[in-house]
């Protein structure tokens, strides 16, 4: 065998050996406990999320409930996304909530919120996070609104603000009696209600 062929085979063997070493180093498993892909804090968040998700039941999209309240008024409740609780099947948790209350006197109350809950047994509703309601010429903003079907009450709380053509009212809580169509404005802090009234 001439020296040129020997050199060529030596180079080929060296390249083959180098290739095996590169493959071995690339796919070698690292069994050390020091290197973790995620830190302990992120792992805890993932574990908590998985634990909470165990209580989530079925997930629904673009749902709608409708019916009559105890006073005979019709309502429609819509949600872009909802899921029930495995531990309490009566409660439906909702996102992007819209509700329409059609009163016998032909007035309509619109309520929108970012999230909410609906009890499909008692027909009670809770609206939370960015509540906005429209009734006649008035617009209401609040952090929370609770509708009790059995009591016939709509309770609005958390930084309540009402705007209409007469002015603006700020209160701690509003109690709207749906059956009697009366509104009670409550101040829990200093027994005063802030109002800006337009006098003509």
């Amino acid at each position: 065998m001439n020296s040129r062929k020997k050199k060529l085979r030596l180079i080929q063997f060296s390249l083959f050996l180098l290739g095996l070493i590169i493959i071995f180093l690339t796919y070698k498993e690292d069994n050390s406990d020091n290197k973790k892909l995620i830190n302990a804090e992120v792992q805890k968040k993932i574990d908590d999320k998985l634990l909470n998700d165990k209580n989530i039941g079925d997930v629904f999209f673009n749902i709608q409930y409708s019916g009559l309240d105890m006073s005979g008024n019709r309502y429609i409740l819509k949600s872009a996304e909802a899921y029930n609780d495995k531990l309490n099947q009566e409660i439906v948790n909702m996102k992007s909530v819209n509700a329409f209350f059609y009163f016998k006197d032909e007035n309509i109350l619109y309520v929108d919120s970012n999230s909410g809950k609906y009890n499909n047994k008692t027909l009670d509703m809770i609206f939370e996070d960015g509540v906005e309601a429209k009734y006649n010429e008035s617009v209401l903003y609040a952090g929370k609104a609770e509708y009790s079907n059995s009591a016939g009450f709509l309770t609005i709380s958390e930084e309540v603000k009402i705007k209409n053509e007469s002015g603006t009212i700020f209160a701690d809580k509003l109690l709207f009696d749906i059956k009697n169509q009366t509104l009670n404005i409550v101040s829990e802090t200093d027994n005063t209600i802030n109002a800006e009234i337009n006098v003509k």
Side-chain angles (χ1 to χ4, degrees):
M1 202 180 267
N2 64 26
S3 64
R4 187 169 181 250
K5 284 186 177 180
K6 285 183 181 179
K7 286 182 184 178
L8 191 57
R9 291 197 184 217
L10 185 63
I11 292 171
Q12 286 176 343
F13 181 73
S14 299
L15 288 174
F16 178 72
L17 202 62
L18 182 65
L20 284 176
I21 292 171
I22 290 172
I23 290 172
F24 177 74
L25 292 176
T26 303
Y27 292 103
K28 179 184 167 188
E29 288 185 32
D30 186 3
N31 294 326
S32 66
D33 291 334
N34 298 338
K35 295 182 180 178
K36 292 188 177 181
L37 295 176
I38 54 176
N39 64 27
E41 184 179 335
V42 173
Q43 183 64 48
K44 185 177 181 332
K45 286 181 182 179
I46 292 170
D47 292 343
D48 290 345
K49 177 73 174 151
L50 290 172
L51 181 65
N52 290 337
D53 286 350
K54 288 180 182 176
N55 294 333
I56 292 176
D58 300 320
V59 177
F60 310 96
F61 297 96
N62 299 319
I63 64 163
Q64 176 175 314
Y65 295 98
S66 61
L68 297 173
D69 66 13
M70 299 294 273
S71 302
N73 299 304
R74 189 168 61 95
Y75 70 86
I76 296 173
L77 178 65
K78 298 179 180 181
S79 176
E81 181 181 341
Y83 61 91
N84 59 2
D85 190 331
K86 281 185 180 178
L87 302 177
N88 187 355
Q89 292 288 319
E90 297 172 3
I91 303 298
V92 179
N93 297 286
M94 301 177 293
K95 294 179 182 177
S96 298
V97 186
N98 302 311
F100 307 86
F101 295 89
Y102 300 94
F103 299 115
K104 293 177 183 176
D105 63 0
E106 298 186 3
N107 284 318
I108 301 172
L109 171 65
Y110 301 96
V111 181
D112 294 329
S113 68
N114 294 325
S115 62
K117 293 180 193 248
Y118 177 65
N119 187 315
N120 57 28
K121 185 174 182 181
T122 65
L123 309 181
D124 292 344
M125 303 171 202
I126 297 175
F127 305 91
E128 297 176 300
D129 187 23
V131 177
E132 182 177 334
K134 294 176 185 172
Y135 182 74
N136 290 335
E137 300 299 318
S138 299
V139 181
L140 175 140
Y141 304 95
K144 187 174 186 179
E146 299 175 72
Y147 169 68
S148 172
N149 182 45
S150 56
F153 257 81
L154 182 63
T155 304
I156 300 161
S157 58
E158 298 179 14
E159 299 180 15
V160 180
K161 177 181 177 183
I162 304 170
K163 291 177 76 173
N164 63 22
E165 60 185 22
S166 301
T168 305
I169 296 174
F170 299 90
D172 292 327
K173 189 182 284 186
L174 298 178
L175 303 172
F176 184 62
D177 186 334
I178 293 175
K179 185 176 182 180
N180 298 318
Q181 301 250 334
T182 59
L183 179 66
N184 187 8
I185 302 172
V186 177
S187 174
E188 297 174 339
T189 52
D190 55 6
N191 293 326
T192 59
I193 297 167
N194 297 324
E196 299 170 2
I197 306 296
N198 296 329
V199 180
K200 293 183 181 179

